[in-house]
Amino acid sequence: MLRTRGLRVTRGRLAVLDVLAAQPHADADAIHRAMASAEPSISLQSVHNVLAALHEAGVLRRFQPARSAARYELRVDDNHHHAVCSRCGRVEDVDCVTGEAPCLHAPAPAGFAVMQAEVTFWGLCAACAATER
């Protein structure tokens, strides 16, 4: 997949992809910590560089919830949204309501062609909501 996107296959890129396969919606710090045992010499800056290259090549998606670090995921082939827990920060995917991009239909400025809509739902995840009861 990396080669078809014009990228060299490196240990760092493969390690980042492995982490994101196991931990969708991870930020760069979490990815760096998860890589520490397999790639102890990789720096946080190198992780950021790998993430930028993979994002630019369309291998992963970058999104940034308000008041949070940028998160990354491998799910790039659709126009889904995210639900973020206001207490613990857990992120879950929310499938597009109509199944097509964009899945929200709002009036756009004249001549503006909307290609993607990004929505973030805020609330409490199931675990945090259970502690509210």
Side-chain angles (χ1 to χ4, degrees), residues 17-27 30-31 33-35 72-73:
L17 293 174
D18 286 344
V19 170
L20 286 173
Q23 299 177 31
H25 310 126
D27 63 24
I31 294 167
R33 284 192 304 275
M35 292 175 62
Y72 299 88
E73 65 183 344

Side-chain angles (χ1 to χ4, degrees), residues 66-112:
R67 304 175 307 278
S68 176
R71 309 285 186 104
Y72 299 88
E73 65 183 344
L74 298 176
R75 188 175 170 185
V76 296
D77 58 346
D78 64 2
N79 188 39
H80 69 280
H81 308 297
H82 297 98
V84 181
C85 181
S86 299
R87 182 176 295 153
C88 71
R90 177 183 175 88
V91 178
E92 295 188 28
D93 289 334
V94 177
D95 289 327
C96 200
V97 178
T98 64
E100 61 185 58
C103 63
L104 296 179
H105 300 283
F112 192 88

Side-chain angles (χ1 to χ4, degrees), residues 29-41:
D29 288 330
I31 294 167
H32 183 247
R33 284 192 304 275
M35 292 175 62
S37 60
E39 296 289 333
S41 64

